Amino acid sequence: MKRFLFKYKREVFSLGVILSLVLIFQNCAEPLKLSETDALTFADNLPFAYDIKMDTFAYMSCNTEISNYEPRAIFTFRVGAYEDGSGLRLNDEFVESTKNYTEQARAESLFRSPTNSGAILQLAIRNSSVDYQQILLNSSGAVQLGKDIENYLNGATLDSPGVATPLLGLEEDKRIRYFSGTPGLDGRFLEQSLRFNTVLKSVTDKMVGSTSSRVTLAYTQDNNPLNYYVRGPDKSNLARSIYGVEFRPTFAPPTRISDKTTIATAQDRNRILQSLGVVNVEDKNTQAETMWSCPPEYRYVIVRPEDAAASATLCPLDDWTYDNPPAGREREWEILRRVVRIEDYYVNMKKRCIVPKDSANHCYPSESTGVKIRYNGITCNDDPENDVFQCPNFVSVCVAPSGA
């Protein structure tokens, strides 16, 4: 049985000597001269600085035992910012608190402020009912980067020059979602993924109900890529008080590839992302603030290459869609390709199915002889203990409502 790893970690912030002229007010004739004690007080009192807005949440129900797949192609949950108006920015409270700072002083304040210094934006599945400092692990007993946790921006801290400089240069009400021209970050979208492919059933089981595990976007306590302890507004209660966004998915049964009717199966075989509620954890809401859109047109069945090759009608080769989606379906194509890359999958938009281009990217157990997927079945059952795998897998996507 998979376990929550937990312990509390005391936040320790060590601030060195701060130059007395760090805070220079732009609108004053003379720079404000502060003692080291005063400068330290300014840094200590600054509010949390960051505001993140994502627009896409994807679930891939692959259950596979292999480890040599392309991480870009296989994931369990993927969360990213792809559209204008999404991404990272400095929040209004921080901007207002530093409105008279020079740009250099504001950058310095991000680095010196104990509330903000060293934060890494991180994706993990957290225990939302008891302690947000507990995360869900695969089966290793130790935190695995790229599986149990994943850090955005290649693990760069948000106060590092490569991140802070573009943030400080943003126009009012703008966000940044793509970093270019920055060594180590060049070409980095705000996108990351978690991978629980070998323990999928236990993970989705823990997400059923109102108080359980949730995919959570939060900010680490310090600059350590493997650190999963996250910061929050109430340092005396970090179990229940953190800065971050919680995603609450629900799941539905698989559907037939031919007519999209439901395939009867046990609840723990649900393979489709049905709904998604989003909560700002800092606001301590118990109900979802926003419900994202998870329409049927953003659900694609994943077909094994050998099954596609064996049938002329299942997911036909002559219907492959590359860069020219049918008229009127451009939006559907664009959203699907955010999470299913053209390098990795063929897409048949007519049948709403995808097939891996590389046979190494298995979405079904590759070593099993009992894989006989009922893509058009009335019922299906997966029984790993008896080497039975019948239920089709899906990639499904939810998107934020416009203006949310």
Side-chain angles (χ1 to χ4, degrees), residues 271-309:
R271 299 293 170 83
I272 290 173
L273 187 58
Q274 182 180 42
S275 70
L276 185 70
V278 181
V279 173
N280 186 329
V281 183
E282 182 184 354
D283 294 338
K284 300 180 181 178
N285 291 324
T286 57
Q287 300 297 321
E289 296 175 336
T290 307
M291 294 303 298
W292 285 22
S293 175
C294 310
E297 56 263 34
Y298 299 163
R299 303 168 184 173
Y300 275 65
V301 63
I302 303 169
V303 176
R304 296 194 305 166
E306 55 266 45
D307 294 338

Side-chain angles (χ1 to χ4, degrees), residues 83-345:
E83 298 190 351
D84 289 341
S86 299
L88 186 65
R89 72 178 181 101
L90 299 175
N91 64 36
D92 294 340
E93 186 179 5
F94 179 83
V95 171
E96 177 64 24
S97 297
T98 59
K99 65 182 179 181
N100 291 321
Y101 289 25
T102 65
E103 185 171 325
Q104 180 181 355
R106 186 176 286 176
E108 182 75 6
S109 71
L110 282 175
F111 177 74
R112 297 296 184 184
S113 163
T115 302
N116 298 295
S117 177
I120 295 172
L121 187 62
Q122 185 180 91
L123 193 67
I125 296 178
R126 298 185 176 273
N127 185 342
S128 67
S129 63
V130 177
D131 186 353
Y132 281 108
Q133 305 300 330
Q134 299 176 359
I135 67 168
L136 192 65
L137 298 181
N138 277 266
S139 55
S140 68
V143 178
Q144 299 178 81
L145 189 65
K147 291 187 175 181
D148 310 313
I149 63 173
E150 192 57 280
N151 300 318
Y152 286 80
L153 301 174
N154 205 28
T157 60
L158 301 183
D159 60 346
S160 65
V163 180
T165 299
L167 284 176
L168 291 164
L170 285 175
E171 298 178 10
E172 186 177 358
D173 296 328
K174 297 295 184 181
R175 295 177 183 267
I176 188 167
R177 67 184 190 280
Y178 183 81
F179 290 77
S180 61
T182 303
L185 295 178
D186 195 31
R188 295 280 176 176
F189 279 103
L190 279 171
E191 172 196 273
Q192 274 306 350
S193 306
L194 302 175
R195 297 173 180 87
F196 290 86
N197 311 105
T198 61
V199 292
L200 183 69
K201 179 180 178 298
S202 63
V203 172
T204 53
D205 279 353
K206 288 182 172 66
M207 292 188 169
V208 176
S210 59
T211 55
S212 50
S213 306
R214 306 296 185 193
V215 177
T216 306
L217 190 62
Y219 305 82
T220 62
Q221 291 182 16
D222 56 43
N223 179 12
N224 179 345
L226 288 175
N227 174 39
Y228 59 88
Y229 303 105
V230 290
R231 63 186 72 196
D234 183 356
K235 295 181 177 61
S236 66
N237 186 24
L238 290 175
R240 305 302 308 140
S241 173
I242 67 170
Y243 300 112
V245 179
E246 175 187 315
F247 298 93
R248 300 179 175 182
T250 65
F251 305 96
T255 56
R256 292 159 54 99
I257 195 171
S258 58
D259 57 13
K260 310 307 177 188
T261 58
T262 297
I263 300 174
T265 187
Q267 183 176 350
D268 60 11
R269 309 301 180 208
N270 287 353
R271 299 293 170 83
I272 290 173
L273 187 58
Q274 182 180 42
S275 70
L276 185 70
V278 181
V279 173
N280 186 329
V281 183
E282 182 184 354
D283 294 338
K284 300 180 181 178
N285 291 324
T286 57
Q287 300 297 321
E289 296 175 336
T290 307
M291 294 303 298
W292 285 22
S293 175
C294 310
E297 56 263 34
Y298 299 163
R299 303 168 184 173
Y300 275 65
V301 63
I302 303 169
V303 176
R304 296 194 305 166
E306 55 266 45
D307 294 338
S311 171
T313 59
L314 182 65
C315 202
L317 291 174
D318 58 2
D319 282 337
W320 290 147
T321 303
Y322 292 91
D323 293 317
N324 300 301
R329 298 179 67 184
E330 293 83 1
R331 171 72 172 171
E332 177 187 338
W333 165 261
E334 185 269 327
I335 288 175
L336 180 69
R337 279 304 191 193
R338 292 175 186 175
V339 298
V340 174
R341 306 291 158 70
I342 198 167
E343 298 93 332
D344 304 315
Y345 291 94

Side-chain angles (χ1 to χ4, degrees), residues 61-66 74 197 254 271 300-307 354 356 359-368 371-375 382 389-395:
S61 64
C62 294
N63 53 336
T64 176
E65 79 290 345
I66 64 170
I74 301 290
N197 311 105
R271 299 293 170 83
Y300 275 65
V301 63
I302 303 169
V303 176
R304 296 194 305 166
E306 55 266 45
D307 294 338
I354 65 173
S359 60
N361 295 326
H362 289 286
C363 190
Y364 300 88
S366 60
E367 302 300 323
S368 171
V371 180
K372 296 178 175 59
I373 306 303
R374 295 183 174 181
Y375 299 102
D382 281 4
F389 298 94
Q390 299 175 341
C391 295
N393 286 316
F394 288 76
V395 59

